Amino acid sequence: MATVLDVARLAGVSTATVSRVLSGKGNVGEAARERVLSAVRALDFQPNRMAQGLRRGHGSAVGLLVGDIEQNVYSALTKHVQTALGGIGLDLMLYNLDHSAERLSTILEAAPAMGLRGVALATTDVLAMATVGPQLRQLQASGLLVVSIGQRLHREGVPSVVHEERSAARRAVAYLLESGRGPVAYLGRLSGSAVGTERYRGYAAALGDAGIAIDRDLVWDVSYRFAAGYEATSRALDAGRRFHAVQCGSDELALGAMAAIQDRGFAIPDDVAVIGFGAIGWGGHVRPALTTISVDPAAVAARVADHFAGREAPALTIIPRTLLRRGSA
Amino acid sequence: MATVLDVARLAGVSTATVSRVLSGKGNVGEAARERVLSAVRALDFQPNRMAQGLRRGHGSAVGLLVGDIEQNVYSALTKHVQTALGGIGLDLMLYNLDHSAERLSTILEAAPAMGLRGVALATTDVLAMATVGPQLRQLQASGLLVVSIGQRLHREGVPSVVHEERSAARRAVAYLLESGRGPVAYLGRLSGSAVGTERYRGYAAALGDAGIAIDRDLVWDVSYRFAAGYEATSRALDAGRRFHAVQCGSDELALGAMAAIQDRGFAIPDDVAVIGFGAIGWGGHVRPALTTISVDPAAVAARVADHFAGREAPALTIIPRTLLRRGSA
DNA sequence: CTGAAAGCGCTAACAT
DNA sequence: ATGTTAGCGCTTTCAG
């Protein structure tokens, strides 16, 4: 591994000049610059990131904290964030929270010592701001860049990049109602999830718009995974609840609901229409194909990169969603 | 951020002693150790990873290079690898290869300067060993730990942790044949994928065992994604090919095949049985539920961690697979 | 058992 | 425009 000193010697300049050429800061004569550059190439020099980090006070990796990388929403996000960060010379340190608040705190606690340039928090779990808030502020005070993805924390001073939630759900449910698919049930996580509540509110708003009262028996509060969707829907079906559509809080849930409906011999969408939320990969390939609400991880990643690149960016960015009409509704 | 010097001062010892206590290397008197430890707690000291890395010559993060994090196989693997590495004090730097050989080379090239402790290569794409081989050896020469996941590179001197491929496929196809589901088609990537060929060979072996000749029209060489499976199967169906089962090289492909079959009004598994490969998350929730071949990311991660922990581990570990019988076959 | 001191590779004042 | 130099925080000989 060649060092700046090797480059400096070969180019016949001092290490300071090498550093200046490489960083682009400070004035360097054309002749010297040329020689440095060719020495860099000749030695295949790559600056040692740890030394740079030690000197600068922070490294060149951003910590991405995701709720659960195994869920497609997060893996798709991760992919785009990694690409976007790579574009501005930043690496990605991945931390899987596994939806654990304790783990989140531990990681936040260790972030400065880790040499992270910043932290991107991507979880929709409701955060205990009493403990997380101070930690986040502490990080910012240490000079770390902090960004929230999917959850609005801009009031807490954390720039946030989120998707539209309530209005998107509202439009989807309105579509169901207009298509004569009522009564419409809601399947999703109401508490514990920062976005779950918003989505439910969109459902409630759409019913309100249509002058329909909310039927508590048609609102199922569950976790986000497949099994939860399957069970809740099965229970409702077996209990003889009357509904002709289900708006789900996630695609996983929607798939679970579809399985429950199909297992009981009902047809989708004729007997029961289903709309998911999140447009994960396989939704279009299931039969019937899942009608769902879009996500735009690339747009999110682009905005997140803006923040880490130090580019001007709004404290709150809201990415729009659209209804993806496919076979299930 | 407290430094070793702060701790040393508070404990009334030298920084060397603090370092010795923290690393557990070297002898330290009981009294001194106690004082250091309580000083560490009092100051909430956490060693600066970049300084440690600079001094030691390498950092404490492992680079995980995955083919495509958005594919469930890789995200599940990543999750477990991150957990396992965390257990031995290592962080995870994620690099998404996007199946690009060029990107792989770039990352491998930069790895030492990045301060990585090691690199875990998780891709089943066929590697151009002429260029990748030397790079890998170069990394090892620089003291980086290198492990291959999913692809056998132990002959190249890279310890590998892989799943059973050929024999697992062979058993699955044999099961199809024994259940009277023949003729059996094979849908998967034959070239370009290091495991695709192996899986196909398992298929071929099972046919051979049953004394059946391979019908080239029933072997579809495609990429790994949904769409490819859908199209290949549609084409075969529309061309009037005769087969009553499809062994697929991946679950994504299987889902595509199922959609094609269902779209043409055929029943699964009665008209055509389908077996996937890989047991990704949603397979059990589709209808009919996908019969597939298991994966064990936790087992893989555990072995990978063994390598990075410097624990004794075999040059080649093969994780067994089992047939997961569900509804589609 | 413990301390002093050198130095990992780099950057940023500070000189010139 | 360019060089000199002082560390960033830590580990590790080398002395004692």
Side-chain angles (χ1 to χ4, degrees):
Chain A
M1 291 261 62
T3 72
V4 268
L5 192 57
D6 298 323
V7 176
R9 274 199 283 253
L10 183 58
V13 297
S14 75
T15 60
T17 299
V18 174
S19 182
R20 278 190 281 257
V21 170
L22 262 27
S23 70
K25 297 176 199 281
N27 293 337
V28 181
E30 199 46 45
R33 147 169 288 108
E34 284 305 316
R35 277 181 297 131
V36 167
L37 256 20
S38 73
V40 164
R41 270 190 300 271
L43 298 174
D44 192 27
F45 171 73
Q46 292 184 287
N48 181 312
R49 304 289 206 137
M50 294 176 302
Q52 281 186 322
L54 179 57
R55 183 59 232 239
R56 290 212 271 244
H58 62 252
S60 54
V62 165
L64 176 63
L65 283 51
V66 299
D68 179 0
I69 188 67
E70 210 177 334
Q71 287 175 244
N72 191 273
V73 216
Y74 291 116
S75 61
L77 172 72
T78 299
K79 175 179 182 162
H80 287 97
V81 169
Q82 131 93 86
T83 304
L85 288 181
I88 53 176
L90 259 22
D91 287 301
L92 180 62
M93 205 78 112
L94 183 74
Y95 294 95
N96 200 52
L97 296 175
D98 243 329
H99 299 296
S100 154
E102 195 185 334
R103 205 167 138 56
L104 170 61
S105 275
T106 307
I107 296 167
L108 256 22
E109 193 74 33
M114 292 288 320
L116 294 180
R117 179 74 193 85
V119 161
L121 179 58
T123 175
T124 52
D125 293 338
V126 167
L127 268 21
M129 287 312 291
T131 56
V132 176
Q135 288 189 305
L136 257 20
R137 250 163 274 130
Q138 159 88 30
L139 285 188
Q140 293 178 314
S142 315
L144 292 226
L145 269 19
V146 183
V147 175
S148 170
I149 299 175
Q151 178 158 179
R152 299 175 188 219
L153 259 34
H154 59 295
R155 298 274 166 63
E156 313 278 342
V158 178
S160 309
V161 182
V162 306
H163 270 99
E164 193 189 5
E165 304 289 356
R166 194 192 307 200
S167 42
R170 186 178 188 164
R171 290 196 301 273
V173 175
Y175 163 76
L176 248 14
L177 259 15
E178 286 159 13
S179 318
R181 302 281 191 197
V184 180
Y186 183 81
L187 168 64
R189 183 138 69 121
L190 273 41
S191 57
S193 162
V195 301
T197 320
E198 285 303 301
R199 293 175 188 174
Y200 169 71
R201 284 198 183 127
Y203 162 82
L207 292 200
D209 291 343
I212 301 170
I214 289 174
D215 177 352
R216 278 281 140 204
D217 282 340
L218 293 186
V219 175
W220 313 321
D221 183 5
V222 299
S223 92
Y224 267 120
R225 311 308 299 268
F226 303 105
Y230 185 86
E231 283 157 26
T233 309
S234 298
R235 223 176 297 126
L237 253 15
D238 294 342
R241 304 261 177 261
R242 209 183 132 264
F243 56 95
H244 291 294
V246 185
Q247 169 61 53
C248 306
S250 80
D251 276 12
E252 279 87 350
L253 242 24
L255 196 60
M258 283 174 61
I261 293 164
Q262 292 173 320
D263 281 356
R264 275 158 190 76
F266 293 113
I268 300 172
D270 294 342
D271 296 324
V272 184
V274 176
I275 295 185
F277 210 116
I280 60 183
W282 40 257
H285 301 273
V286 161
R287 284 301 176 267
L290 182 63
T291 290
T292 189
I293 296 167
S294 74
V295 274
D296 192 348
V300 172
R303 304 336 296 276
V304 169
D306 284 345
H307 281 105
F308 288 113
R311 283 178 220 133
E312 204 181 339
L316 176 65
T317 302
I318 302 178
I319 310 290
R321 298 198 193 247
T322 59
L323 181 65
L324 262 35
R325 287 196 50 186
R326 296 200 283 230
S328 72
Chain B
M1 291 263 59
T3 72
V4 268
L5 191 58
D6 297 324
V7 175
R9 273 200 283 254
L10 183 57
V13 298
S14 74
T15 59
T17 298
V18 174
S19 182
R20 279 192 278 259
V21 170
L22 262 26
S23 70
K25 297 174 198 280
N27 293 337
V28 182
E30 199 46 47
R33 147 169 288 107
E34 285 304 317
R35 279 180 297 133
V36 167
L37 256 21
S38 72
V40 164
R41 271 190 299 271
L43 298 174
D44 191 27
F45 171 73
Q46 292 185 287
N48 181 311
R49 304 288 205 138
M50 293 177 302
Q52 280 187 322
L54 179 56
R55 182 58 234 241
R56 291 212 268 243
H58 62 252
S60 54
V62 165
L64 176 63
L65 283 50
V66 299
D68 179 1
I69 188 67
E70 209 177 334
Q71 286 176 243
N72 191 272
V73 216
Y74 291 116
S75 62
L77 171 73
T78 300
K79 174 180 183 162
H80 286 98
V81 169
Q82 131 92 83
T83 304
L85 288 180
I88 53 176
L90 258 21
D91 287 300
L92 180 63
M93 206 78 111
L94 183 74
Y95 295 94
N96 200 53
L97 296 175
D98 243 329
H99 299 294
S100 154
E102 196 185 335
R103 207 169 134 57
L104 169 62
S105 275
T106 308
I107 297 166
L108 255 23
E109 193 74 31
M114 292 287 322
L116 294 180
R117 179 75 194 86
V119 161
L121 180 56
T123 176
T124 53
D125 293 337
V126 167
L127 268 23
M129 288 313 290
T131 56
V132 177
Q135 289 189 305
L136 258 19
R137 250 163 274 132
Q138 159 88 29
L139 286 187
Q140 293 177 315
S142 316
L144 294 225
L145 270 20
V146 183
V147 175
S148 170
I149 300 176
Q151 178 157 180
R152 300 175 187 217
L153 259 34
H154 60 294
R155 297 274 167 62
E156 312 279 340
V158 178
S160 310
V161 182
V162 306
H163 270 98
E164 193 188 7
E165 305 289 357
R166 193 191 309 199
S167 43
R170 185 178 187 162
R171 291 197 302 272
V173 175
Y175 163 76
L176 248 14
L177 258 14
E178 286 159 15
S179 317
R181 303 280 191 199
V184 180
Y186 182 81
L187 169 63
R189 183 139 68 123
L190 272 42
S191 57
S193 163
V195 301
T197 319
E198 284 304 300
R199 293 175 188 174
Y200 169 71
R201 285 199 182 126
Y203 162 82
L207 291 200
D209 292 343
I212 300 170
I214 289 175
D215 178 353
R216 278 282 140 203
D217 282 339
L218 293 186
V219 175
W220 312 321
D221 183 4
V222 298
S223 94
Y224 268 120
R225 314 306 300 266
F226 302 107
Y230 185 85
E231 283 157 25
T233 309
S234 297
R235 222 175 298 127
L237 253 15
D238 294 342
R241 303 263 176 262
R242 209 183 132 261
F243 56 94
H244 291 294
V246 184
Q247 169 63 52
C248 306
S250 80
D251 276 12
E252 278 88 349
L253 242 24
L255 197 60
M258 284 174 62
I261 293 165
Q262 292 174 319
D263 281 358
R264 277 158 189 74
F266 293 112
I268 300 172
D270 294 342
D271 296 324
V272 184
V274 176
I275 295 186
F277 210 114
I280 60 184
W282 41 257
H285 302 274
V286 161
R287 284 303 177 265
L290 182 64
T291 290
T292 189
I293 296 168
S294 74
V295 275
D296 192 348
V300 171
R303 302 338 295 277
V304 169
D306 284 345
H307 280 105
F308 288 112
R311 282 177 222 133
E312 204 181 339
L316 176 66
T317 303
I318 301 178
I319 311 291
R321 301 197 191 246
T322 60
L323 181 65
L324 263 34
R325 288 196 49 184
R326 296 201 283 231
S328 72

